């Protein structure tokens, strides 16, 4: 799927990529998939508004995308986006936000943006940890996982944000891992074409902060971990609750209607 | 861009408004077309008023999930090209502080009507105070400037709301209409003129350059959706976009935010003087307390007492030069406030004359008799 995506970057960043993302970070893969979806839909970047928060996800559109980027306060991206969208409904808003940003500090804004069925495409970059601040526990960290603030293992269950936004009234909900790039591109395209709140959880990875504390130091080990953890809806059929306990179900979870 | 005269939407005549209604009408007249708010006594009247008027002018009104969301959404709408506003009181204003710093550093024009109520914390929703003067200026982290205006009448609630929008657009800065329930819920005559003077922000053209602005002057503002490839951020590290060293950016941005307002403060600051000729004692007052103070000063002048008054219409940037001048001319300055001396402390920075602070924090407005009695002791 080699593709020339240079036109989507500002000229200053075309020849010398200056990604602040760590080696092996999964978010760079999502960056490529977002641009491929936009490219395939032939969306004019002048119509796009990328609204991001604070965390590793912010380095995806900032500063290199040749488009408007609103880098907001931690957790508040969807509140900022609501103002821009309501005043100018022509803006096509895409937010790539972290699990801390959306599920912890910004949870209330997420619920209400979904309830209002705001015409946003939200991509949750779930790397199961607070990356930028040095690897602290997140609402998405698996039970028992070691982090900088759970040295004895995370005592709590991880959050299923897909279920949350579906219950809050989202129009489109899907979850895929970065090991399913073609499905993710297809899903991002669907989300961008969905009028209303479209939410995709992209299971990403953080070798630097999550992997190294959980014996998953290399990107390959983390990819294997994701491959084992993420199963399709079909694979999930017929599995017992016990067998499903540590699994993450991928696929389209809701498409249209209410 | 720049100042222009526009026809008033309201019929030019004498109207009878509450202070809150006057804020709503001032906002509509200024071209405010996006309002987000969250219920909080005593500021709720303004949100209710705007929601009722929004359809008449094609404006957006939304009640958000909290005050944080309210201010964040108006910042988003401002970058989409709207003149924007929110209204709140102490508890909501506390929640908004982080975003006020964001609006200051991203140079986003926003207007906040702050109808003060007694604190700390939940305090009281239905009595009076004016104790958020310092929070208004220093509530968010770091060094930044805002503009805060202190109306004393319903007429000024209208006029100063228009002024607030003009200043926000002209200087690309958060402007706070710093008021009190004693005025927002007061009903008085308001003269609406046929034409009003409003300022529309200078709009950018072409692709927005990365990095720092060339000087401390206000830059034309890009709008989302017009191909400017605008990058808006509160992160000074990201501000440099890898083009300037982090240290240089930090210093230049902080200095810029300061100078943009302080170098223009003579243009921004407004005040009124009363009976200052030959005055030996001058009362410095603002907001509702200035009404009581003027009654007191008038009564004492009729008694032949050498007392005058300076009314601060702008609180931030602080009217340092006029306060210093008045301070150099008189023996004593008397400062009655519905707080523990927030403005009195500021006045002390700029004058060597004796500053007498009078504080009343019982939730009631300060009566003229109280001020007369206090002044008689000084004269």
């Amino acid at each position: 799927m080699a593709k020339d995506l240079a036109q989507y970057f500002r000229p200053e960043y075309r020849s010398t990529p200056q990604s602040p993302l760590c080696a092996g970070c999964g978010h760079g893969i999502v960056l490529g998939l977002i641009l491929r979806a936009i490219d395939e839909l032939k969306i004019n970047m002048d119509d796009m508004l990328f609204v991001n928060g604070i965390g590793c996800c912010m380095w995806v559109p900032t500063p290199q995308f040749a488009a408007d980027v609103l880098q907001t306060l931690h957790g508040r991206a969807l509140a900022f986006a609501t103002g821009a969208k309501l005043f100018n409904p022509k803006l096509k808003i895409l937010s790539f936000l972290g699990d801390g940003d959306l599920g912890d500090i910004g949870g209330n804004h997420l619920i209400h943006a979904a309830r209002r069925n705001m015409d946003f495409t939200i991509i949750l970059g779930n790397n199961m940890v607070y990356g930028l601040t040095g690897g602290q526990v997140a609402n998405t960290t698996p039970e028992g996982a070691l982090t900088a603030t759970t040295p004895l293992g995370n005592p709590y269950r991880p959050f299923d944000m897909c279920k949350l936004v579906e219950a809050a009234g989202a129009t489109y909900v899907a979850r895929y891992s970065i090991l399913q790039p073609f499905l993710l591109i297809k899903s991002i395209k669907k989300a961008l074409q969905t009028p209303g709140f479209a939410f995709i959880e992209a299971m990403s990875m953080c070798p630097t902060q999550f992997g190294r504390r959980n014996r998953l130091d290399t990107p390959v080990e983390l990819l294997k971990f994701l491959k084992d953890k993420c199963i399709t809806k079909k694979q999930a059929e017929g599995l017992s609750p016990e067998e499903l306990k540590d699994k993450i179900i991928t696929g389209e979870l809701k498409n249209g209607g209410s | 861009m720049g100042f222009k005269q526009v026809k008033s939407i309201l019929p030019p005549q004498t109207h009878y408004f509450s202070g809150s209604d006057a804020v709503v009408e001032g906002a509509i007249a200024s071209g405010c077309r996006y309002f987000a708010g969250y219920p909080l006594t005593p500021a709720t009247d303004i949100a209710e008023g705007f929601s009722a008027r929004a359809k008449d002018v094609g404006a957006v009104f939304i009640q958000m999930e909290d005050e944080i969301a309210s201010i964040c959404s108006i910042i988003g709408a401002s970058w989409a090209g709207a003149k924007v506003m929110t209204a709140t009181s102490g508890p909501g204003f506390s929640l908004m502080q982080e975003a006020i710093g964001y609006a200051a550093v991203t140079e986003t024009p926003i207007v906040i009507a702050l109808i003060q109520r007694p604190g700390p914390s939940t305090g009281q929703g239905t009595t009076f105070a004016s104790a958020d003067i310092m929070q208004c200026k220093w509530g968010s982290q770091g060094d930044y400037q805002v503009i805060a205006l202190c109306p004393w009448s319903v007429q000024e609630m209208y006029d100063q709301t228009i002024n607030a929008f003009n200043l926000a657009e002209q200087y690309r800065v958060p402007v706070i209409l710093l008021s009190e329930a004693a005025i927002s819920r007061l009903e008085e005559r308001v003269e609406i003129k046929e034409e009003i003077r409003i300022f529309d922000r200078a709009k950018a053209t072409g692709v927005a350059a990365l990095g720092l602005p060339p000087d401390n002057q206000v830059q034309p503002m890009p709008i989302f959706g017009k191909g400017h490839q605008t990058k808006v951020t509160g992160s000074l590290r990201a501000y440099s976009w890898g083009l300037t060293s982090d240290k240089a950016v930090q210093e230049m941005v902080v200095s810029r935010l300061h100078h943009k307002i302080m170098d223009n403060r003579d243009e921004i600051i407004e005040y009124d003087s009363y009976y200052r000729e030959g005055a030996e004692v001058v009362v410095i007052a603002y907001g509702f307390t200035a009404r009581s103070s003027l009654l007191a000063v008038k009564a004492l002048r009729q008694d032949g007492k050498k007392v005058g008054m300076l009314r601060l219409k702008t609180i931030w940037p602080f009217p340092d030069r006029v306060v210093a001048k008045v301070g150099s001319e008189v023996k004593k300055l008397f400062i009655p406030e519905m707080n523990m001396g927030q403005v009195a402390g500021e006045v002390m920075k700029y004058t060597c004359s004796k500053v007498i602070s009078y504080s009343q924090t019982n939730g009631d407005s300060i009566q003229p008799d109280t001020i007369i009695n206090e002044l008689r002791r000084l004269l």
Side-chain angles (χ1 to χ4, degrees), chain B residues 290-308:
Chain B
R291 296 168 77 111
S292 305
S293 300
L294 186 58
L295 275 175
V297 168
K298 265 186 191 168
L300 289 168
R301 272 281 172 176
Q302 278 162 10
D303 262 10
K305 304 288 184 195
K306 290 178 180 169
V307 58

Side-chain angles (χ1 to χ4, degrees), chain A residues 6 9-21 31 59 62-64:
Chain A
F9 291 85
R10 288 183 69 112
E12 300 95 318
Y13 296 95
R14 276 178 202 163
S15 53
T16 51
Q18 298 183 9
S19 173
L21 300 172
L31 182 156
W59 301 118
T62 302
Q64 60 267 25

Side-chain angles (χ1 to χ4, degrees), chain A residues 191-245:
Chain A
L192 283 166
Q193 290 172 301
T194 299
F197 196 84
F199 183 89
I200 301 165
E201 178 169 5
M203 294 302 299
S204 186
M205 61 177 185
C206 178
T208 309
Q209 300 295 1
F210 182 81
R212 75 181 161 100
R213 289 191 175 86
N214 291 282
R215 301 189 176 192
L216 299 160
D217 295 52
T218 68
V220 173
E221 282 170 298
L222 261 173
L223 286 170
K224 280 184 186 160
F225 170 80
L226 277 182
K227 197 175 176 190
D228 176 56
K229 210 170 174 59
C230 298
I231 57 169
T232 62
K233 278 201 289 189
K234 202 165 183 188
Q235 288 169 327
E237 280 169 21
L239 291 185
S240 69
E242 193 54 37
E243 289 167 312
L244 280 171
K245 196 172 167 263

